[in-house]
Amino acid sequence: MKPTRKYPLTLHVNGETYELEVKPQRTLLEVLRNELELTGTNEGCATGDCGACTVLLDGLPVTACLVLALDAHGRQVTTVEGLATAEELHPLQRAFVERGAIQCGYCTPGLIISAYALLQENPRPDEAAVRLAIAGNLCRCTGYTKVVEAVLAAAEAMYAGRSAPATSTQMADM
Amino acid sequence: MKGFEYYAPETLDAAVEILARYGEGAYPVAGGTDLIPKMRYGHVAPQAVVNLKRIPGLNRITSLENGGLHVGALVTLTQLSREALVRERYPVVAHIAGKMASAQVRNLATVGGNLCNAAPSADLAPPLIALDAEALIVGPEGERRVPLEHFFTGPGATVLGPGELLTAVLLPPPQPHTRAMYIKHAHREALDIAIVGVAALVRLAPGTATCQGARIVLGAVAPTPIRAREAEALLEGAPLTEEHIAEAGRLAAQAARPIDDVRGSAWYRRKMVDVLTRRAIAGTRGEGGDLT
Ligand SMILES: Cc1cc2nc3c(=O)[nH]c(=O)nc-3n(C[C@H](O)[C@H](O)[C@H](O)COP(=O)(O)OP(=O)(O)OC[C@H]3O[C@@H](n4cnc5c(N)ncnc54)[C@H](O)[C@@H]3O)c2cc1C
Ligand code: FES
Ligand code: FES
C-alpha cells in the first residue's frame, strides 16, 4: 500500500493558531499530545468510553479520541492547559486540589473540562446536574463523591465572585 | 489506524460523486463515534473517508408544512435532545437522545450515524420507526424516500447503495390522542448499549381507552430493529385492558429473534421483551408516557 500523504491542518487551540501537516488517520487527541505537546489531555481507552481525553470543540465537550484531527480544521479547541493563567489556577482546579478530588490525576483534566462546560451553561448546578455532566468521565480512584463536592464548591465560589449575577439556566436533562 | 484518502466536500453533489467513485471502499464520517472505534479495531479499513460536516444545511431541524419535522442527518444527539420542536412534538425522541452515551459523545454523535451504523441496538431506531419516520436518501440517481422500518437490512447493513447518503429523517405530523414511550434496558444509565429496547406508540379513540392504532418496535433482539406486528394487530381496536396488554407482551416476545451475547442471553432478552412491552404500553396511558 502506498504511504498515506499528509494533509494541511489549521487548528485554533487555547487561543493560538497552529498550521500543521498531519496524516488523515491521526485523531485530535494524538495531534494535541504528540504534535502540540499539550499532554494534559490524556488517553485512557481511545474508544470514547472513559472521558480522559475530553476537550472543548467549538465550546462543547467532546472525546478527542473519536475526532479525526482533520475534522477539527479551522475549529476552536480548548484543553485543560487553556483554563489556568500563568499566575493562577482556574477555580475548578483549585477546588479539585483543595477538596481532595484528585488522586492519581489521570482522569482529572477530562473531569475539569466536563465540569467547566457544565458551569458555562449552568453556573449553579445541583448535585444531579453535576453527576449527569460527568457521567462520561470514569475515575478509578476517587469514587466521585469528592469530585462532585469540588465542582459544587467551585460553582459556588465562581458565582459569588461575579460582579453581576448571571441567570442560571436549567440543564437539558429531563 | 490505517491510512486513507480524506475528503471534506462542501456540497452534497461533491460528496455523492466521491462516494460513488470509491464505491464500497468509501465511508462517510459524521460524528465518528461508531466509525473511529471500528477503524481502530480494524473492523473496517476505508480507502477514503468523507467528512460530511462541511455540507451546509444537513445539521438543521425544520418544521414541514404538514406539521411534521425534517431532521437533518448531521443533527447531533445534543441538538435533538434540546430542540424545542422535537421536545414539543416528539418528546419520546428528545428524551432518549438526551440519555444516550455521554455528554461528550452526544456532542459528536449524529442521527444519521446512529441509523446508518445500523446496530440492532441503535436507540433512535425503535422510537423513530414507531413514529412512522421516513429516511430521505440522496445518491447518484437522485433522491428517494424509504420508510425507516425498511431501511435496515441486517446488522450493520442498510438499503443505502454505493454513493448514497442519508440526508434527513422525516417525521409525520404528531397525531392527536397519541402517546409513545421507549424503554432502554441496560446495565448502566450512561455509556451503555441496550440489552433490549422497546418502543410503544398508542393512539386512543377520543375520550375512551380503546386503542385505534399501535406500534410496538423492538431493538437489540433481532438482526435489525423490528415491528411486533401481531402485538400491534391485537391492540388495534381493542380496549387497553390488563389482559390485552399482557397478551401484547407475549406476542412481542414471540416476534423477537434474540441472540446470546455479553450483554444478555437470548432467553433473558425474550423475557425482557415481554416485560418491557407491557411496561411501555402501560406507560403510554400516562404513567411516564411521552406525548407525541
Ligand atoms: C462511548 C459510547 C457510547 C455510546 N452509547 C450509545 C447509546 O447509548 N445508544 C446508541 O444507540 N448508540 C450509542 N453509541 C454509538 C454511537 O455513538 C451512535 O450510534 C451515534 O449516533 C453514531 O453517530 P456518528 O455520527 O458518530 O456516526 P459515525 O461514526 O460518523 O458513522 C457511523 C456509520 O454510519 C455511516 N454514516 C454516518 N452518517 C451517514 C450518512 N448521513 N449517510 C450515510 N452513511 C452515514 C458511517 O460511514 C459509518 O459507517 C455509543 C458510542 C460510544 C463511543
Ligand atoms: S481516551 Fe477518549 S474517551 Fe477514553
Ligand atoms: S484520580 Fe485516578 S482515575 Fe481519577
Side-chain angles (χ1 to χ4, degrees), chain A residues 47-49 66, chain B residues 27-38 52 73-74 77 99-102 105 108-117 121-124 160 164-167 184 191-194:
Chain A
T47 51
D49 293 289
L66 297 182
Chain B
Y27 283 75
V29 62
T33 65
D34 277 316
L35 186 63
I36 305 297
K38 278 191 185 173
L52 304 178
L74 274 278
L77 299 179
K99 294 222 165 229
M100 288 161 69
S102 64
V105 172
L108 294 169
T110 66
V111 173
N114 190 243
L115 300 174
C116 295
N117 189 61
S121 59
D123 279 314
L124 292 182
L160 291 178
E164 282 192 320
L165 280 170
L166 178 69
T167 55
K184 171 182 183 173
L191 284 172
D192 209 353
I193 304 299

Side-chain angles (χ1 to χ4, degrees), chain A residues 121-166:
Chain A
E121 191 176 301
N122 178 3
R124 310 206 76 183
D126 60 12
E127 181 181 333
V130 173
R131 288 193 178 271
L132 195 73
I134 63 169
N137 294 85
L138 303 187
C139 173
R140 294 173 51 145
C141 308
T142 64
Y144 303 104
T145 304
K146 287 186 185 294
V147 172
V148 174
E149 284 170 12
V151 176
L152 290 171
E156 203 62 33
M158 287 164 69
Y159 194 78
R162 283 170 196 232
S163 42

Side-chain angles (χ1 to χ4, degrees), chain A:
Chain A
M1 212 178 149
K2 63 176 189 301
T4 321
R5 74 179 174 97
K6 290 188 171 182
Y7 291 70
L9 167 66
T10 306
L11 269 190
H12 306 289
V13 185
N14 302 332
E16 306 259 347
T17 296
Y18 299 89
E19 302 290 346
L20 307 162
E21 294 240 312
V22 303
K23 290 192 173 173
Q25 67 268 36
R26 293 281 93 87
T27 61
L28 178 58
L29 176 62
E30 289 164 343
V31 169
L32 289 172
R33 289 184 57 86
N34 304 336
E35 308 282 328
L36 306 186
E37 299 186 356
L38 292 169
T39 53
T41 309
N42 286 332
E43 177 177 300
C45 62
T47 51
D49 293 289
C50 77
C53 65
T54 306
V55 301
L56 300 183
L57 184 59
D58 291 336
L60 297 176
V62 302
T63 41
C65 68
L66 297 182
V67 178
L68 290 177
L70 293 174
D71 278 14
H73 179 71
R75 300 169 74 184
Q76 301 287 338
V77 180
T78 305
T79 69
V80 71
E81 288 91 345
L83 300 191
T85 62
E87 299 80 43
E88 234 184 330
L89 288 177
H90 186 274
L92 270 166
Q93 293 171 310
R94 177 170 306 285
F96 269 59
V97 174
E98 285 171 358
R99 301 258 162 175
I102 300 181
Q103 286 187 30
C104 79
Y106 202 81
C107 66
T108 310
L111 272 167
I112 298 264
I113 293 285
S114 287
Y116 179 85
L118 168 69
L119 299 188
Q120 293 277 89
E121 191 176 301
N122 178 3
R124 310 206 76 183
D126 60 12
E127 181 181 333
V130 173
R131 288 193 178 271
L132 195 73
I134 63 169
N137 294 85
L138 303 187
C139 173
R140 294 173 51 145
C141 308
T142 64
Y144 303 104
T145 304
K146 287 186 185 294
V147 172
V148 174
E149 284 170 12
V151 176
L152 290 171
E156 203 62 33
M158 287 164 69
Y159 194 78
R162 283 170 196 232
S163 42
T167 2
S168 110
T169 46
Q170 243 348 93
M171 272 283 293
D173 87 89
M174 336 183 291

